[in-house]
Amino acid sequence: MRTKQSGGPTGRPRGFDADEALERAMLVFWEHGYEGASLATLTGAMGISATSMYAAFGNKEELFRKALERYTEGPGGYLTRALDEPTALEVATAILAGTVRTTARPSAPQGCLGVQGALSTSDAGQGVRDLLATWRNDGCGKVGDRFRRAVDEGDLPPGTDPALLARYVTTLAFGIAVQAASGVDRDELQAMADAALHTWPPV
């Protein structure tokens, strides 16, 4: 019988919940970063052996990729939802509010997995650094596309550079995440976001 956790080959069930194990791995990477998350810490949090981890998720880098996907769809999903807001200002407001909410939650690691996950890694972590750079640029690109539509619809002034404005908003979001990881409290982070949006281009 095929196990629902893996979709892999038939045989005896693994005996653990792969979805729950991945959730725990995501939290470890979020808290410790890629290199800071040792194999022992990961498998201990996941409640499985190293052999089971490799069989279910591949090597450490592959596990991190899966954890980042989970983060993007879960805690980081506010960005995708923000793009559906009716105006560009509301998009930006939702992105920054979502960043504050996600990176400063008392019940989760502080900061952002996609920002701090591999800021300081050895050459062996280059693949993860590249992965996260692409992840951040993809997010910025989606915001830029949304702002380009706002220019076309007259929601932003004709002279607005949508790519630059998207870079501004996402850089603010990444900065908020770093500040959250440094222990800045949620109210102050939100005040920073509100102050930044006071310079929003008038229509």
Side-chain angles (χ1 to χ4, degrees):
M1 180 181 295
R2 187 180 296 272
T3 63
K4 67 178 180 179
Q5 293 96 334
S6 68
T10 59
R12 188 162 56 91
R14 288 197 186 109
F16 70 90
D17 186 327
D19 190 64
E20 177 63 24
L22 182 57
E23 174 75 14
R24 293 177 180 179
M26 179 195 74
L27 292 172
V28 171
F29 283 128
W30 190 353
E31 182 175 2
H32 298 286
Y34 177 72
E35 285 200 344
S38 68
L39 186 60
T41 302
L42 284 165
T43 54
M46 297 165 78
I48 59 177
S49 67
T51 301
S52 294
M53 189 201 84
Y54 287 125
F57 301 106
N59 62 24
K60 182 180 175 183
E61 184 173 326
E62 291 168 339
L63 175 62
F64 183 85
R65 288 175 182 273
K66 291 179 173 69
L68 182 62
E69 290 173 2
R70 187 178 185 88
Y71 178 86
T72 303
E73 295 168 359
Y78 62 85
L79 188 143
T80 299
R81 293 190 295 272
L83 298 178
D84 291 330
E85 294 291 336
T87 68
L89 177 55
E90 287 173 292
V91 169
T93 300
I95 289 172
L96 296 184
T99 302
V100 171
R101 185 174 61 250
T102 301
T103 61
R105 283 194 302 175
S107 60
Q110 305 297 288
C112 172
L113 173 61
V115 175
Q116 290 116 255
L119 285 182
S120 57
T121 57
S122 65
D123 290 344
Q126 184 63 50
V128 171
R129 282 205 303 272
D130 292 344
L131 170 68
L132 291 182
T134 299
W135 182 86
R136 292 189 293 268
N137 285 329
D138 283 350
C140 184
K142 291 175 182 176
V143 177
D145 290 343
R146 176 64 182 83
F147 288 167
R148 192 167 294 109
R149 193 182 93 202
V151 173
D152 294 341
E153 294 173 348
D155 178 42
L156 286 170
T160 301
D161 182 336
L164 181 61
L165 187 59
R167 186 67 68 184
Y168 171 72
V169 171
T170 54
T171 298
L172 283 170
F174 298 150
I176 286 171
V178 172
Q179 292 294 314
S182 300
V184 177
D185 69 66
R186 185 168 175 169
D187 290 343
E188 186 173 352
L189 294 173
Q190 187 60 57
M192 290 163 51
D194 294 342
L197 293 177
H198 286 164
T199 63
W200 195 254
V203 179

